[in-house]
Each structure stands twice: as structure tokens, then as C-alpha cells.
Amino acid sequence: MSAKKGLHLTLKIWRQKNSKTKGQFETYKISDVSTDSSFLEMLDILNENLINDGKEPIAFDHDCREGICGMCSLYINGRAHGPDTGITTCQLHMRMFKDGETIVIEPWRSAAFPVIKDLMVDRSAFDRVMAAGGFISVNTSGNTLDANAIPVPKEDADKAMDAAACIGCGACVATCKNGSAMLFVGAKVSQYALLPQGRVEAKRRVLNMVKAMDEEGFGNCSNTGACEVECPKGISLENIARMNREYMSALVDQG
């Protein structure tokens, strides 16, 4: 029985020293890549080859490699997280590519996500948006209640959990032609707005988070729905509509 043939690929990878310098694509050849390996494992192999040749390895973000943390964000062949649906880059496998294929690999492209180096971008803007209002003041620490002490309709609970599935990878921003973060912010607003514990400061939260989003330089929603399509967790556009309703209600109450 013959051994399984590996892939021979051409990689066009964005190289950039830092956010202040001009970047460019550089071309690399890699051979005998197992179709069972993940995309990040392929990059690991490439970096090993570069190091062995005395060259600087490619910087890219990664952490859990289980589709949980969202750190591994890459723009691959014109798609956020690559040519598959409902996955992060670390869950993308090389069987999605063909032998001899050219793969173009870029960082997220957004003014709010400046390049740190090569394929790594600074997504701390998301952290600042969340810090602006993504919390609850209800004291739940050390004050555990029975699960049914505060009745929550199952439909609301399910929608809140769906919104909370957002991992903050930024695929929505990278995919949107305007670099909008409304799907991300909508998810973070919704996960609290749908639950009674989050209603205490709901109006202040949505006002502060939308303000922070705008200050960070994210664009406006383009209404194309590309963000929902490329989101690895399938966050629904309904969350943007909910955020808009929460925001308008808060503005009216604010006077």
C-alpha cells in the first residue's frame, strides 16, 4: 500500500515588521504537507523550515487551537478563517486545499486592528469596548441562588447563550467592507439585555459600548450580512437589530 501523498503548496504571506512600516507579500514553497494537518500546523512546519534556514519565522496569533479563544484569526484566500464554514483558522484542515494550490494569507484588515507584526493584529479595541459597558452590577459572587429563583423564558435564555458564544475573533470586522464591529457589540449587548440580571444598567451599557465602538474607529454596518456568514460561531444578525432597539430606547430615556 503506497503512502498518502502530501500537498505541495505555494504560500503568499503578508510580512510586516510593525504598524509603522510598510508590508508586502512574500512567497514561500512548502512540500509534503499532510492533508490531516491543521492550517496552523502547516504554518508551524513552514516556520521550522525558515528557522532551519536561518530566516525569521512568520508571526501569527494562536492559543487554544480548539476553536474557543479566537486568537488564530487569519484571512485566507479572501475569506475570514479560510474556505470553510463555522470554523476558526485553527480548525481549518489542509484537506480543504488542492495539491499545487497557491494560498494567500493576510492579517485582518481594519483601521481599528493595527498590525503588530506579520499576521498578528492588535484587537485590544474589542477589550476596550467591552470594558466600556460589558458587565453586570448584580452581585452573584458567593450569593448563589437556585436556578429557578429568577424565572427566565427558555427562548430568552437560549438567545442569550447564543449571543454569548461570540469569541471576539474579529471575523465580522475583517469581512465587513466598512470594518464594522456591530455584530460583535450586538452580541455583547444581547447576552446581557436578554437576561434579568443584565437589565439593571442595560441603558447605560448600550450607550457606553456604542460610543466606545465609534471612538475606536470601527465603520458602520453595511447591511450585507457578510459578518453573520463568516462568523465561526454563527452569531445572528438579530443581535444587531436588538442592539439598535436597545440603543434607541436608551437615547429616548436619556432625553
Side-chain angles (χ1 to χ4, degrees), residues 101-236:
E101 187 171 349
T102 297
I103 305 175
V104 181
I105 311 169
E106 306 171 68
W108 283 169
R109 303 289 191 179
S110 171
F113 291 160
V115 172
I116 297 173
K117 185 177 181 180
D118 296 340
L119 303 175
M120 297 176 64
V121 298
D122 181 358
R123 283 171 290 177
S124 60
F126 272 5
D127 296 328
R128 291 188 290 273
V129 171
M130 290 177 66
F135 62 90
I136 62 172
S137 60
V138 174
N139 181 17
T140 58
S141 178
N143 189 29
T144 305
L145 300 174
D146 290 338
N148 60 355
I150 304 176
V152 179
K154 186 179 186 303
E155 183 180 359
D156 290 346
D158 288 345
K159 288 180 179 179
M161 291 299 291
D162 288 344
C166 170
I167 57 177
C169 68
C172 51
V173 176
T175 300
C176 178
K177 61 185 180 182
N178 292 338
S180 172
M182 290 188 73
L183 189 67
F184 165 78
V185 179
K188 298 306 175 185
V189 167
S190 290
Q191 73 183 64
Y192 296 117
L194 286 161
L195 300 176
Q197 294 90 341
R199 296 309 306 170
V200 179
E201 60 283 316
K203 298 186 184 302
R204 183 181 68 198
R205 178 187 303 112
V206 70
L207 291 173
N208 289 344
M209 293 185 78
V210 170
K211 179 183 178 183
M213 174 181 68
D214 292 340
E215 290 175 347
E216 290 294 340
F218 292 106
N220 293 320
C221 179
S222 61
N223 294 313
T224 60
C227 53
E228 181 182 48
V229 172
E230 298 295 359
C231 175
K233 300 302 177 182
I235 303 299
S236 173

Side-chain angles (χ1 to χ4, degrees), residues 1 10-11 13 19 29 40 57 59 65 74 77-78 107 168 175 202-203 205 212 222 238 244 246 252:
M1 184 175 179
T10 299
L11 307 176
I13 302 178
S19 60
K29 299 284 187 180
L40 295 190
R65 300 203 179 200
L74 296 176
N77 284 353
T175 300
K203 298 186 184 302
R205 178 187 303 112
S222 61
E238 290 181 2
N244 288 335
E246 291 282 324
V252 169

Side-chain angles (χ1 to χ4, degrees), residues 30-85:
I30 187 168
S31 301
D32 201 26
V33 177
S34 170
T35 54
D36 292 328
S37 63
S38 72
F39 196 85
L40 295 190
E41 288 171 337
M42 180 274 293
L43 290 179
D44 289 337
I45 294 169
L46 175 62
N47 275 343
E48 286 182 13
N49 294 341
L50 291 175
I51 292 170
N52 290 336
D53 291 340
K55 299 177 181 178
E56 186 174 7
I58 295 151
F60 63 94
D61 261 330
H62 61 94
D63 193 1
C64 75
R65 300 203 179 200
E66 295 180 345
I68 298 171
C69 70
M71 291 290 289
C72 60
S73 307
L74 296 176
Y75 210 70
I76 304 165
N77 284 353
R79 288 189 65 181
H81 294 302
D84 205 347
T85 303

